[in-house]
Amino acid sequence: MPSKLLREITPLTSSDCFTLFSRTKDKFDFPLHYHEEFELNFVKNAKGAKRVIGDHIEEIGDFELVLVGSNLPHGWFTHKCKSQEIQEITIQFHRNLFDEKFLQRNQMSFIRSLLERSLRGVCFTKETTMAIMPRLIELPQKHAFDSVLELMSILHDLSISRNIQTLSGGSFNTVETISYNSRRIEKIMTYLNNNFDKDLSLTDAAKIAGMTEVALSRFFKARTGKTFVDTINEVRLGNASRMLIDTTHSITEVAYKCGFNNMSNFNRIFKKKKDCTPKEFRQSYTTSGIRTFI
């Protein structure tokens, strides 16, 4: 099992609610990784594969459904699996898809509880997985608002299901929250998401937040766990990933449209953050499976 821990920059942009990736494969080849987005992962025909969630390691059966919370290390590995037709459906959605105040409403209490538990990873029973499976398969056939409603309905039904297993130990849930819980951070993230293709500066962000540059740097790192520059790169890489999947723009065009003014710098950062080149990334998504953005 690979020991490298990769921070994945997903192609889910700020304009999306969620993305769904469905494919059939003969092995698990993505390294141990983590990302800000929540992930609901369904796996079929992978008996003997190894699942790692935080500090929990387990050999899986023929069917499984797991919800992985924000920034929780996770990965699936071939291990003893001999299947040539592993089926996988992965849904990723933003950590702030559900507003904090919305989650406080009585009717959302079960979903809120589920999302909080998922910060340590949760696994659903085979009975629950089999009941939800047809809805996951059919989700890409729904459109726009209906898709979002169906995802919410699926999460609610999962939240009230029986015998949910919490996977990882408590040490993996010490600092994470469902949202940033900071208006200043949300304003800055809006600024970055709306202007990723332009020159971005800490000076402008500090003005938006009403703070000095030094104070903002410390505050931003404390609230997000990342530096301001790293966050800019991640926003740009997320949008670049989306364009590599969704458009026929050349890699050079994608780089410049996403605010990278130097191709060698773009290739270096992309390789470092995603463990593959932009060309390899595009090929991996155009030759295997179907990706849907909602």
Side-chain angles (χ1 to χ4, degrees):
M1 183 185 71
S3 60
K4 181 178 179 180
L5 182 58
L6 174 73
R7 181 181 183 89
E8 182 188 5
I9 312 301
T10 73
L12 190 64
T13 71
S14 61
S15 300
D16 302 314
C17 286
F18 68 91
T19 181
L20 183 148
F21 186 42
S22 176
R23 62 178 173 174
T24 300
K25 56 188 183 181
D26 59 7
K27 62 181 178 180
F28 293 96
D29 54 10
F30 200 71
L32 188 68
H33 64 286
Y34 65 105
H35 43 71
E36 284 202 348
E37 294 77 13
F38 284 76
E39 179 175 300
L40 184 64
N41 204 46
F42 166 75
V43 180
K44 179 183 177 182
N45 296 334
K47 184 177 182 180
K50 180 182 291 184
R51 182 213 321 121
V52 179
I53 305 289
D55 59 3
H56 185 274
I57 301 175
E58 184 176 20
E59 194 173 293
I60 70 173
D62 287 323
F63 293 87
E64 85 155 8
L65 183 62
V66 171
L67 180 61
V68 182
S70 180
N71 288 330
L72 180 64
H74 60 282
W76 279 258
F77 306 94
T78 305
H79 191 46
K80 299 177 182 178
C81 179
K82 303 298 182 182
S83 174
Q84 297 299 302
E85 293 189 353
I86 301 169
Q87 295 181 27
E88 185 176 41
I89 299 176
T90 302
I91 298 173
Q92 295 174 334
F93 57 95
H94 291 294
R95 61 189 285 167
N96 62 352
L97 176 61
F98 304 105
D99 179 79
E100 183 71 19
K101 291 183 178 179
F102 182 46
L103 286 174
Q104 294 291 346
R105 303 290 191 261
N106 291 335
Q107 292 79 8
M108 294 295 293
S109 62
F110 289 106
I111 289 182
R112 177 180 176 80
S113 177
L114 177 65
L115 295 179
E116 289 175 343
R117 288 185 64 178
S118 76
L119 295 174
R120 291 166 58 186
V122 293
C123 183
F124 303 97
T125 65
K126 183 177 180 179
E127 291 73 23
T128 298
T129 300
M130 296 297 289
I132 294 295
M133 178 179 66
R135 297 168 66 184
L136 296 176
I137 294 173
E138 294 170 7
L139 187 56
Q141 309 306 317
K142 296 187 177 293
H143 301 284
F145 190 60
D146 288 339
S147 299
V148 179
L149 287 178
E150 178 64 1
L151 176 60
M152 291 180 64
S153 178
I154 288 172
L155 289 174
H156 178 264
D157 288 348
L158 290 175
S159 72
I160 60 175
S161 64
R162 296 183 176 182
N163 301 319
I164 299 174
Q165 179 188 5
T166 300
L167 298 176
S168 185
S171 61
F172 281 86
N173 188 23
T174 56
V175 296
E176 280 298 325
T177 57
I178 294 174
S179 68
Y180 292 119
N181 199 27
S182 168
R183 291 183 179 179
R184 285 174 170 170
I185 296 297
E186 296 295 345
K187 285 182 179 180
I188 293 171
M189 293 306 298
T190 298
Y191 162 66
L192 298 183
N193 284 315
N194 289 341
N195 299 279
F196 64 87
D197 57 334
K198 305 178 180 67
D199 289 332
L200 299 170
S201 70
L202 180 63
T203 301
D204 290 339
K207 291 178 181 177
I208 292 171
M211 305 172 71
T212 66
E213 293 180 31
V214 173
L216 175 60
S217 291
R218 293 173 179 170
F219 179 76
F220 196 90
K221 180 67 180 294
R223 285 303 181 100
T224 68
K226 297 173 290 184
T227 67
F228 182 72
V229 172
D230 278 345
T231 301
I232 291 175
N233 285 334
E234 290 188 0
V235 170
R236 285 173 170 164
L237 283 178
N239 282 276
S241 300
R242 173 65 175 275
M243 287 188 187
L244 288 171
I245 295 172
D246 256 10
T247 74
T248 57
H249 295 318
S250 70
I251 293 175
T252 300
E253 287 178 306
V254 169
Y256 283 99
K257 284 178 179 292
C258 292
F260 291 98
N261 297 319
N262 182 295
M263 278 303 298
S264 61
N265 187 46
F266 171 62
N267 287 320
R268 178 182 60 81
I269 293 175
F270 198 101
K271 175 74 173 179
K272 179 181 178 181
K273 295 288 188 179
K274 301 187 76 66
D275 205 35
C276 64
T277 65
K279 182 179 180 180
E280 290 169 341
F281 177 84
R282 170 171 270 176
Q283 289 176 339
S284 71
Y285 279 105
T286 56
T287 60
S288 63
I290 300 172
R291 189 123 200 181
T292 303
F293 294 94
I294 302 297

